[in-house]
Amino acid sequence: MGLLNALLQWQETRHEKKVMKMKDEGLCPACHGKGYNLPISEFYISPDYFHCDACEGSGIYTDWEHSPYYN
Ligand SMILES: [Zn+2]
């Protein structure tokens, strides 16, 4: 296994652990159950920007799982 593969594997494992944790808590992994995502810059604040598309703003894990953003 090369270094790149090892790195990809590590990232995948981290991602899976995060998703499993969110699943246990029933929260959307994309926004951690908040229903919105924090903007990168305070200069780009808008209602649309805050809204989490992955769970339709519900913050619920199952909504995220059934969204087109899943995987
Ligand atoms: Zn969400």
Side-chain angles (χ1 to χ4, degrees), residues 28 30-33 35-36 52 54-57 59:
C28 168
C31 63
H32 294 238
Y36 62 89
C52 177
C55 64
E56 305 278 318

Side-chain angles (χ1 to χ4, degrees), residues 35-61:
Y36 62 89
N37 290 299
L38 291 174
I40 294 164
S41 165
E42 58 185 301
F43 298 108
Y44 292 103
I45 291 175
S46 80
D48 287 341
Y49 202 91
F50 276 102
H51 186 79
C52 177
D53 289 327
C55 64
E56 305 278 318
S58 69
I60 298 169
Y61 178 87

Side-chain angles (χ1 to χ4, degrees), residues 2 6 10 15 21 23-24 27 38-39 41 44 46 53-54 58 66 68:
W10 176 74
H15 176 75
K21 186 174 181 286
K23 189 176 185 178
D24 281 348
L27 303 175
L38 291 174
S41 165
Y44 292 103
S46 80
D53 289 327
S58 69
H66 295 116

Side-chain angles (χ1 to χ4, degrees), residues 14-28:
R14 270 189 60 182
H15 176 75
E16 277 173 14
K17 277 185 182 173
K18 182 190 162 190
V19 169
M20 287 305 291
K21 186 174 181 286
M22 291 290 111
K23 189 176 185 178
D24 281 348
E25 297 175 20
L27 303 175
C28 168

